[in-house]
Amino acid sequence: MTNHVSLMNRRRVLAGGAALGIATVLPWRADASEVRRGGVLKYATLGLDTADPHRHTGSIAVQQLYVEALTSIGPDGNVEPFLAESFDLSEDGKIYTFRLREGVKFHNDEVLTASDVVANIERVKSKVSGGWLASAMKLVDAINAPDARTVVLALKEPYSPLLNLMSELWILSPKSEGWADTIRTPIGTGPFRFGEWQPRVKLVAPAHKAYWREGMPYLEAVEADLRDDVDMALALRAGDLHVAKVSREVAAQLGRSTDIAVTSLKDSSWFFVSFNNRSPRPPFNDLRVRQAIAYAVDKTAFMRFAAGGTGVVTNQMIAPGNIYFDKAQHDADPHAKPDLEKAKRLLADAGVKPAETRLELVSWQENYPQVVVQMIRRLGFQVNHVALDDLGAQKRLGQYDWDLAVMSSGPRADVFLRYVRLMSDGPNPVLWGGVQDPEFDKLVRAAVAEPDLPDRKALYTKAWQRVLDNYYTVVLGHASDTIALRRQVKGYEPGFTWSPNWASGGIAQTWLSA
């Protein structure tokens, strides 16, 4: 195992040390003569499910127009100082010291102080039971503000994902309306303010004139389209949208236009088939039946349909190239190729007559789940496919009255944010069927407390082996989400996650050419 002290010293230097010139990440700046100020950017990626950034259930792109965190995730997946200009980690891995940038102002023109940060951390710790940070906040032993620009966070034990997770603990003014209960009007520090919000319709976010990045933002406002029924391709071609998340099929069509460019997020989304693990109904509680369904799915054909030539077939929750990708597990995938005859033999061994068995399958209103439906029907099952919008699917999945779910999950700031969704007390676990596995939980907790990267990876890999062995979920593959933008959009580049704003780039530096 790597020497604990030397590793921690190295981590402390890489994470902090403003004097070394590596703590403060300066945003890219356009030539002033190139920038055209003003204009309203029409933007459509993820939705906005709540006005309270601490209580979101996954729609985290739009709100990052107006809220920021102590850290952010850069385009390469590394942690960057954000509202904190530097951070320092103690040698025992338990104490984090954040040094705030000077003169950052909330949208009510009040200066951000360490006590505001402490109040936000305490709010998430004491009043928010779900979300990505639920497990991390249980480990917080003390939060102090020794002075107006310093925050000291003490943990009960080392917790390796913390700096990454802090990129999603957004800092708001404690004077935000609804602070004591559910925030209705968030007051953040972001380049744009929370303006007019019509749920599931739009959010108009005006520029924050006193934004801490001097001279930014360049835009007058961002208008986020939150509707589910918009034809993105038509809206982009007509100029009704400037930036939008699109399917790969649509991206291929739009990419042929001289007016539209196509790009993608840096991290990947993973596609998977999950079983109901919380209250499985016979015969889907039989491992042989789960194996049979996995053998019936042609992963290569599925990924070709879902992602064209850009998809990667694997059984891993992260894509090749990620430091936590395990090639040995990937190479040993028994379901890399379909085997319909073996699937039928497994069902026969289990005494299952598919023609007499009804399978309840839940998905979002996407086209790719139907591919899996057709593959399962080849086994003879009666498949009742229920395709719902996001809220409807979340509600139905949470009732655990289904057998199979075909879903996808997008980029995350840290690999733990994928593992935590499969933990017994994890946030919003429904897409994975509400796994309840104490041994899996134990391994993940050991991984997040392990400061040595190779040892941490080994623990995560062992935890994932339990998922594979028990068929909690069957990964089909990975692909990066695609984004199309009109060519008049300048200075914009998708980041590692869905966040439109981060320390070294993002929408604050975007402008519209004439």
Side-chain angles (χ1 to χ4, degrees), residues 75-274:
D76 60 356
N78 285 326
V79 178
E80 301 175 334
F82 202 13
L83 290 179
E85 66 179 12
S86 65
F87 38 78
D88 182 87
L89 176 59
S90 65
E91 292 184 356
D92 63 4
K94 295 181 182 180
I95 300 175
Y96 291 78
T97 303
F98 298 90
R99 183 67 174 169
L100 302 184
R101 295 184 188 275
E102 188 172 8
V104 175
K105 288 187 176 181
F106 286 114
H107 299 151
N108 62 1
D109 287 332
E110 293 189 0
V111 175
L112 168 70
T113 66
S115 62
D116 295 319
V117 174
V118 170
N120 277 265
I121 296 173
E122 288 180 338
R123 182 176 191 264
V124 172
K125 177 176 169 60
S126 63
K127 296 189 175 183
V128 180
S129 58
W132 315 126
L133 287 155
S135 298
M137 291 300 100
K138 293 176 183 177
L139 298 178
V140 174
D141 196 33
I143 318 162
N144 297 298
D147 59 58
R149 290 181 55 204
T150 304
V151 176
V152 179
L153 186 64
L155 304 182
K156 298 173 184 176
E157 60 189 55
Y159 191 73
S160 61
L162 185 72
L163 287 175
N164 293 62
L165 295 184
M166 291 299 283
S167 71
E168 295 189 2
L169 199 161
W170 295 290
I171 306 302
L172 300 110
S173 168
K175 294 183 179 178
S176 298
E177 181 186 6
W179 176 266
D181 185 21
T182 299
I183 293 173
R184 296 180 292 279
T185 307
I187 301 173
T189 63
F192 300 91
R193 296 182 288 110
F194 184 86
E196 175 192 352
W197 180 39
Q198 295 175 259
R200 306 188 73 173
V201 179
K202 68 177 180 180
L203 171 77
V204 178
H208 176 29
K209 301 299 184 183
Y211 187 48
W212 59 270
R213 287 196 265 192
E214 186 179 356
M216 299 184 186
Y218 302 138
L219 295 164
E220 177 185 340
V222 175
E223 182 176 311
D225 194 322
L226 308 177
R227 295 172 294 172
D228 293 329
D229 57 353
V230 177
D231 184 327
M232 298 296 184
L234 182 61
L236 283 161
R237 286 192 178 102
D240 296 330
L241 285 174
H242 296 112
V243 178
K245 175 188 176 184
V246 296
S247 69
R248 289 163 190 84
E249 183 180 37
V250 170
Q253 298 170 0
L254 293 174
R256 293 192 287 267
S257 170
T258 58
D259 297 325
I260 298 171
V262 176
T263 183
S264 64
L265 298 188
K266 306 301 186 293
D267 195 14
S268 64
S269 292
W270 53 307
F271 296 85
F272 51 91
V273 174
S274 287

Side-chain angles (χ1 to χ4, degrees), residues 15-73:
L20 299 179
I22 57 176
T24 301
V25 180
L26 296 177
W28 172 87
R29 291 185 181 275
D31 188 315
S33 63
E34 297 179 0
V35 173
R36 179 176 178 266
R37 295 185 176 274
V40 178
L41 183 77
K42 306 292 183 66
Y43 179 86
T45 56
L46 301 186
L48 183 64
D49 53 24
T50 175
D52 191 334
H54 294 156
R55 299 184 188 277
H56 72 87
T57 59
S59 296
I60 59 175
V62 171
Q63 67 183 26
Q64 292 183 80
L65 295 170
Y66 49 86
V67 292
E68 297 173 320
L70 295 179
T71 64
S72 70
I73 306 300

Side-chain angles (χ1 to χ4, degrees), residues 274-279 400 402 429-436 472:
S274 287
F275 291 92
N276 181 347
N277 298 296
R278 185 70 56 92
S279 54
Y400 295 106
W402 49 276
V430 293
L431 271 63
W432 294 269
V435 177
Q436 301 285 283
Y472 296 140

Side-chain angles (χ1 to χ4, degrees), residues 417-458:
L417 294 180
R418 300 192 179 197
Y419 276 94
V420 72
R421 302 285 286 273
L422 282 77
M423 295 181 75
S424 300
D425 61 349
N428 196 28
V430 293
L431 271 63
W432 294 269
V435 177
Q436 301 285 283
D437 184 341
E439 182 61 25
F440 175 87
D441 299 341
K442 180 180 177 181
L443 287 165
V444 173
R445 291 193 182 102
V448 300
E450 175 54 62
D452 181 71
L453 178 57
D455 288 348
R456 183 163 69 248
K457 178 182 176 179

Side-chain angles (χ1 to χ4, degrees), residues 2-18:
T2 303
N3 180 271
H4 184 74
V5 173
S6 63
L7 175 68
M8 285 302 176
N9 282 337
R10 179 176 180 271
R11 184 179 291 169
R12 182 169 52 191
V13 169
L14 290 175

